[in-house]
């Protein structure tokens, strides 16, 4: 009996060792099949609470105190009804539909003339708001409401010429989880501009429409890297690479995604056993990076590139077994506004380690 127990224990240890060895060290070039390291069975959030002082870097927009559900919870493509303006912490005064769902605009659309560039998979994540049955309330100029004909022939609401969307991941009235996604999606202000800009927290770049983006949450394909800001140099990494190492003036060599956006790791996560410290409202500010093809990583050992299954079932990119994230406060390629945030979030270097706080 003792021998049997020893055998079972040895087998368990071996399984753990094998799984640990597989973390960041698979040999497949497919992100879907390689290095998919599942969290330990006891994986759970480390700590609790995501308020402004909790150290998680979350804006904490959260749910409406009334507990009402946004229209997006059940009917993301339903009529908007009477639009309203409400203040959302860390975002500003935003336009919502009659159920309190935050409304958004897409930088890759156009407003002169109005043009929607979000179709296919993009439109599943960002449903277009119908032009019918939309009206303005106090604080919104009715003359700014209009419509644009989409590629499928349907009519989409516009505000200040910009096509209007909801975000599939907003589930409560007052949620604004879509703000800053991909650096190209923003909550709408009453005049059709970006609410975050009027609050003073966003990029002040021109509001010129861009060419058709691909699918996905950001509405931009892998090849549609954003243009670096003037004077910052090339921050987008190696052409064609899904992960690259670039030289940052302040931090040295850091890891960026295909669009040149800085990737971060979180001290309250754990590499082994795999545990997540960024859950709930934390994810409003820190977006899990999507897995990539490790064969398309440049400047970092492919053995360090992996993926992990999050508690909600989605897959997240890992570097050296650490989950990595994008920061919504980075609005252009090359920015590192998330580095040393709350002393917990750090850029990643070419060895897969966190860049020191002093940089």
């Amino acid at each position: 009996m003792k021998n049997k127990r020893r055998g079972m224990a040895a087998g368990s240890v071996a399984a753990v060792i094998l799984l640990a060895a597989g973390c960041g060290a698979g040999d497949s070039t497919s992100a879907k099949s390689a290095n998919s390291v599942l969290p330990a069975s006891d994986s759970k959030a480390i700590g609790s609470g995501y308020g402004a002082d909790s150290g998680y870097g979350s804006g904490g927009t959260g749910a409406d105190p009334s507990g009402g559900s946004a229209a997006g919870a059940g009917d993301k493509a339903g009529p908007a009804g009477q639009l309203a303006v409400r203040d959302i912490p860390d975002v500003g005064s935003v336009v919502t539909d009659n159920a309190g769902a935050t409304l958004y605009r897409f930088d890759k659309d156009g407003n002169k003339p109005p043009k929607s560039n979000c179709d296919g998979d993009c439109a599943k994540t960002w449903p277009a708001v119908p032009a019918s049955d939309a009206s303005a309330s106090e604080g919104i100029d009715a003359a700014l409401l209009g419509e644009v004909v989409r590629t499928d022939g349907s009519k989409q609401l516009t505000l200040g010429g910009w096509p209007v969307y909801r975000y599939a991941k907003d589930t409560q009235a007052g949620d604004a989880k879509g703000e800053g996604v991909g650096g190209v999606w923003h909550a709408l202000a009453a005049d059709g501009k970006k609410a975050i800009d009027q609050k003073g927290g966003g990029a002040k770049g021109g509001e010129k429409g861009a060419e058709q983006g691909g699918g996905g949450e950001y509405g931009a394909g892998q090849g549609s890297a954003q243009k670096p800001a003037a004077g910052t140099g090339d921050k987008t990494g190696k052409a064609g690479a899904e992960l690259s190492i670039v030289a940052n003036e302040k931090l040295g060599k850091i890891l960026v995604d295909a669009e040149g956006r800085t990737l971060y790791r979180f001290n309250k996560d754990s590499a082994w056993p795999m545990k997540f410290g960024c859950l709930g409202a934390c994810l409003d500010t820190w977006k899990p990076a999507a897995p990539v093809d490790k064969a398309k990583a440049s400047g970092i050992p492919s053995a360090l590139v992996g993926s992990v299954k999050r508690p909600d079932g989605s897959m997240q990119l890992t570097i050296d077994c650490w989950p990595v994230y994008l920061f919504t406060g980075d609005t252009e390629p090359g920015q590192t506004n998330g580095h040393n945030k709350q002393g917990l979030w750090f850029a990643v270097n070419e060895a897969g380690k966190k860049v020191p706080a002093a940089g």
Side-chain angles (χ1 to χ4, degrees), residues 196-243:
I196 194 74
D197 280 357
Q198 297 187 8
K199 186 178 177 63
K204 302 295 183 181
E207 296 181 342
K208 182 174 66 175
E211 67 275 8
Q212 171 71 31
E217 184 166 310
Y218 300 160
Q222 292 286 358
S224 58
Q226 300 175 33
K227 183 178 180 180
T232 62
D234 181 10
K235 305 295 185 182
T236 58
K238 183 178 179 181
E242 295 183 2
L243 285 177

Side-chain angles (χ1 to χ4, degrees), residues 7-260:
M8 292 172 64
S12 299
V13 171
V16 170
I17 292 174
L18 285 172
L19 186 54
C23 181
D27 57 4
S28 170
T29 59
S30 170
K32 293 183 179 180
S33 60
N35 298 332
S36 296
V37 182
L38 299 180
S41 59
D42 63 343
S43 179
K44 56 185 178 182
I46 302 173
S48 60
Y50 297 93
D53 299 324
S54 68
Y56 287 83
S58 167
T61 54
D64 187 300
S66 67
S69 295
D75 185 8
K76 293 290 185 183
Q82 188 176 55
L83 306 182
V85 178
R86 67 180 294 166
D87 186 68
I88 295 180
D90 296 328
V91 180
S93 295
V94 307
V95 178
T96 66
D97 66 12
N98 64 345
T102 298
L103 301 181
Y104 299 88
R105 48 169 279 181
F106 181 32
D107 284 355
K108 292 182 179 293
D109 285 348
N111 71 325
K112 295 179 181 179
K115 178 177 174 56
S116 172
N117 282 322
C118 180
D119 293 297
D121 289 341
C122 175
K124 295 177 182 178
T125 303
W126 302 92
V129 176
S132 61
D133 193 32
S135 61
S137 64
E138 184 178 357
I140 301 174
D141 184 353
L144 294 178
L145 300 184
E147 62 183 39
V148 62
V149 179
R150 295 176 56 79
T151 55
D152 62 3
S154 63
K155 293 181 179 180
Q156 181 176 2
L157 177 67
T158 61
L159 178 60
W162 290 97
V164 180
Y165 304 84
R166 295 186 180 99
Y167 183 42
K169 294 184 180 180
D170 285 346
T171 58
Q172 300 272 347
D175 277 355
K177 298 175 182 177
E179 169 55 42
V181 168
V184 292
W185 289 94
H186 298 282
L188 274 162
D191 58 1
K193 295 182 180 180
K194 305 172 188 177
I196 194 74
D197 280 357
Q198 297 187 8
K199 186 178 177 63
K204 302 295 183 181
E207 296 181 342
K208 182 174 66 175
E211 67 275 8
Q212 171 71 31
E217 184 166 310
Y218 300 160
Q222 292 286 358
S224 58
Q226 300 175 33
K227 183 178 180 180
T232 62
D234 181 10
K235 305 295 185 182
T236 58
K238 183 178 179 181
E242 295 183 2
L243 285 177
S244 295
I245 293 294
V246 299
N248 181 272
E249 296 172 359
K250 296 180 179 180
L251 305 182
K253 293 182 178 180
I254 61 171
L255 188 66
V256 299
D257 71 358
E259 296 183 25

